[in-house]
Amino acid sequence: MATWLPTGIQLSYLVAAALFILGIKKLGSPATARSGNLWAAVGMTLAIVATLLDQHIVGYGQLAVALAVGSGLGALMAYRVEMTAMPQMVGLLNGLGGGASALVALAEFWRASNLGTTLPPETLVSILLGVGIGGVTLTGSLIAFGKLQEWLTGAPVTFVGQRLMSVGLVVGFALGCAYLLVVEPTDLGVLLALTLVTLVFGVLFVIPVGGADMPVVVSLLNSLSGLAASATGFILANNMLVVAGALVGASGLILTQIMCKAMNRPLTNVLFGAFTVQQAATVAGVAGPQGSMKTVDSEETAMMLAYARSVVIVPGYGLAVAQAQHAVRELADQLEHRGVDVRYAIHPVAGRMPGHMNVLLAEANVPYPQLYDMEGINPEFERTDVALVIGANDVVNPAARHDKGSPIYGMPILDVDRAQRTVVIKRGAGRGYSGIENELFFKDKTLMLYGNARDVLTQLVSSVKQLD
Amino acid sequence: MSDALLTGLFVFVLASFAGFEVINKVPPTLHTPLMSGTNAISGISVVGALLAAGNHESTLATWLGMVAIVLAMINVVGGFLVTDRMLHMFRKKEA
């Protein structure tokens, strides 16, 4: 075997790492994002091919089978998934990545103990990190997937002694690690027991989180799956794995932060809020806005929209649930045809993961320059004739700006109440996810249009057409 | 601490900073594709899986590696393809 080969492999890894960084950088603008993704994929292909050239590798046939099976399943999932199901898709893929890292760590341990070599403590620590982080990512992601897919209840699940059990698992894990590191570094039974502990911990970690907060968890688990990959990099002394894992770890962490900020809740509250929920409920029950709501029918709304100069559409989770993104684009087309200036205001946590609403609207062929983020659109509401809120609630509640007693006080919101008129399309007179009444609905300028978002929008489209 | 570990830690910390810098600038519109794209990159542990499975020193390690290859490849291929599908839909105006 040529001596240049190991150097060549390492250099290929370096190129792959650079391609990952450049690819993520290019993902930063809609114009270059697609090629950025391609660059990262090329980097991945290069890394895999370089690894296959490694002279320690034997048995290419079975590797080819495993690579083909995984690729085939991945491609099938990618082409069949609905855009509305993107959060659970990302969650599931995440879990598989974490599981792979944990398996690699286990395999390395097994190989070493089979050869009778004692692993140096630093490698053992990396293996324990890989198994621990990877295991939690695997089962945590599967639970998150189940909740988002609604195979499991979306409500927070808590039981008596749950926190005690979690603490017990953490303590048990620490003791097991100490045993392996100090007493008997080749005990496979202990490592398998520790693996089991991390798997159970992953379940306990995610079940108390409510379905609406699941995107935060998915984003956090995304970060963890990166760290698990980094851990395998430390085990194998492979810096390219370390780089790739660190990049993913950093990105997941930033997105988690962004989502928590957009909901004005610290991460600890998202993760452990279920254990203190009674408190919040009593606070919410104390005071609420008084007065009556005014309703409006679709003909009148169509008239209002058609003769407006500017309309801002505020899509929320309800729009995604009703699969109404195509209907809303049709309405926007009709209005633009009549010379109305139509824009979309996207709250950072609209949809079920950050940026999810943008993907859903892009699928319905809404051009992305029409989508405005919160900072961009809020100053514009004062000059807006009609703000059309579709299936959004807490993110347009003005109480977040001024009511210090409100559970959502301080959360950044879209200032739809500053528009000349606000029309709210909503399934019924119920409360938002936070469980509080929305004072926007009681304002003089606000009109309520009840019904399923898709049905209502379809009616609006035909009513606007009839105005010609 | 061994040299390899020290180098690894240097690389890890610097790569994390690079990650923070590059990702902080991504606009909210692209957060979902960013998440699924980086998610695909986390399937890089396929490299470790290939080394584990391609090493004929012990059979269990080989099998664990094989399963890991399948899981990681679903992550990699599924992640990159679904990201491409999403980004394909982002356009300025209809053609």
Side-chain angles (χ1 to χ4, degrees):
Chain A
M1 195 63 77
T3 49
W4 52 264
L5 193 58
T7 316
I9 290 173
Q10 288 303 320
L11 287 176
S12 307
Y13 283 163
L14 182 62
V15 174
L19 283 172
F20 290 149
I21 296 179
L22 287 172
I24 294 177
K25 191 173 162 58
K26 282 162 80 80
L27 270 174
S29 147
T32 57
R34 209 169 165 210
S35 67
N37 185 53
L38 187 66
W39 283 35
V42 169
M44 183 65 75
T45 313
L46 184 64
I48 292 172
V49 172
T51 308
L52 286 173
L53 294 176
D54 190 297
Q55 50 188 309
H56 295 295
I57 286 191
V58 284
Y60 284 100
Q62 55 183 22
L63 295 187
V65 170
L67 285 170
V69 169
S71 306
L73 288 174
L76 198 67
M77 282 167 66
Y79 284 117
R80 296 192 55 174
V81 66
E82 298 278 336
M83 285 298 146
T84 37
M86 205 45 67
Q88 51 267 50
M89 168 87 173
V90 173
L92 182 62
L93 291 178
N94 233 344
L96 299 181
S101 297
L103 287 174
V104 171
L106 278 177
E108 278 303 306
F109 185 89
W110 175 260
R111 198 166 65 87
S113 72
N114 223 37
L115 289 174
T117 49
T118 307
L119 288 162
E122 52 197 56
T123 309
L124 195 53
V125 169
S126 303
I127 286 178
L128 289 168
L129 283 173
V131 168
I133 304 172
V136 170
T137 308
L138 173 65
T139 50
S141 298
L142 290 180
I143 297 289
F145 170 80
K147 286 200 173 210
L148 287 165
Q149 188 74 23
E150 288 168 10
W151 290 353
L152 301 172
T153 169
V157 177
T158 53
F159 54 85
V160 180
Q162 188 171 357
R163 270 198 285 191
L164 199 67
M165 190 172 163
S166 297
V167 172
L169 289 175
V170 172
V171 172
F173 188 78
L175 288 176
C177 290
Y179 176 80
L180 279 178
L181 285 168
V182 181
V183 186
E184 181 53 70
T186 53
D187 196 330
L188 186 68
V190 173
L191 187 68
L192 291 178
L194 288 177
T195 311
L196 195 66
V197 167
T198 64
L199 295 178
V200 176
F201 184 77
V203 173
L204 289 186
F205 180 62
V206 178
I207 51 168
V209 183
D213 288 338
M214 217 32 72
V216 182
V217 174
V218 169
S219 165
L220 185 67
L221 290 168
N222 189 24
S223 176
L224 288 181
S225 76
L227 295 181
S230 263
T232 58
F234 279 105
I235 298 168
L236 301 164
N238 183 324
N239 286 331
M240 191 263 307
L241 281 172
V242 174
V243 171
L247 290 172
V248 180
S251 89
L253 213 54
I254 287 181
L255 288 174
T256 310
Q257 258 180 348
I258 287 173
M259 295 196 73
C260 287
K261 222 181 267 174
M263 296 193 297
N264 193 40
R265 291 167 62 195
L267 183 58
T268 47
N269 177 277
V270 173
L271 297 178
F272 310 117
F275 299 108
T276 51
V277 77
Q278 293 90 339
Q279 241 180 324
T282 47
V283 172
V286 173
Q290 305 293 317
S292 61
M293 303 190 213
K294 283 185 292 295
T295 55
V296 67
D297 61 18
S298 56
E299 279 86 32
E300 207 186 325
T301 310
M303 203 101 89
M304 224 182 320
L305 293 170
Y307 294 106
R309 270 172 300 128
S310 58
V311 171
V312 173
I313 297 172
V314 181
Y317 177 54
L319 177 109
V321 170
Q323 299 270 354
Q325 55 272 35
H326 291 276
V328 80
R329 208 242 347 183
E330 228 179 299
L331 177 65
D333 283 352
Q334 287 292 330
L335 294 175
E336 283 189 309
H337 189 63
R338 301 182 59 96
V340 182
D341 172 41
V342 182
R343 283 173 290 186
Y344 296 82
I346 315 289
H347 192 272
V349 291
R352 299 199 96 177
M353 67 193 282
H356 190 201
M357 192 55 70
N358 306 69
V359 173
L360 295 177
L361 292 174
E363 191 193 14
N365 284 323
V366 176
Y368 65 80
Q370 269 188 356
L371 309 182
Y372 287 76
D373 60 17
M374 196 163 50
E375 288 79 22
I377 200 76
N378 267 348
E380 301 290 318
F381 277 114
E382 279 175 20
R383 292 187 287 277
T384 300
D385 293 328
V386 184
L388 183 63
V389 179
I390 308 168
N393 193 340
D394 289 335
V395 298
V396 292
N397 189 346
R401 283 201 306 258
H402 62 79
D403 182 1
K404 288 200 172 116
S406 171
I408 59 166
Y409 175 71
M411 179 171 102
I413 59 157
L414 291 162
D415 298 328
V416 292
D417 56 319
R418 296 197 168 141
Q420 301 302 315
R421 278 254 174 232
T422 309
V423 177
V424 179
I425 299 177
K426 214 167 161 296
R427 243 183 335 190
R431 296 164 174 212
Y433 164 70
S434 69
I436 50 168
E437 285 286 8
N438 190 338
E439 61 176 57
L440 172 75
F441 304 161
F442 298 89
K443 296 213 170 203
D444 288 338
K445 292 194 294 186
T446 307
L447 298 167
M448 306 299 290
L449 179 51
Y450 290 119
N452 169 284
R454 186 156 62 172
D455 300 344
V456 170
L457 286 166
T458 314
Q459 285 165 22
L460 284 176
V461 170
S462 62
S463 303
V464 170
K465 272 185 191 159
Q466 280 166 17
L467 289 173
D468 289 323
Chain B
M1 263 196 234
S2 71
D3 282 352
L5 179 64
L6 274 177
T7 318
L9 286 174
F10 265 95
V11 168
F12 178 76
V13 172
L14 293 180
S16 299
F17 277 113
F20 275 116
E21 280 306 309
V22 172
I23 290 150
N24 243 337
K25 298 186 189 97
V26 176
T29 306
L30 290 167
H31 278 165
T32 292
L34 174 73
M35 210 194 266
S36 70
T38 53
N39 186 14
I41 294 177
S42 75
I44 191 67
S45 50
V46 69
V47 165
L50 284 169
L51 291 172
N55 219 315
H56 261 202
E57 283 155 0
S58 94
T59 44
L60 182 65
T62 312
W63 281 109
L64 290 176
M66 293 278 282
V67 177
I69 293 175
V70 174
L71 296 186
M73 280 315 276
I74 296 176
N75 188 185
V76 167
V77 175
F80 281 128
L81 285 181
V82 87
T83 309
D84 188 64
R85 231 185 100 194
M86 275 191 271
L87 291 171
H88 180 57
M89 299 182 313
F90 280 87
R91 58 194 78 180
K92 276 192 167 150
K93 280 280 172 208
E94 271 171 82

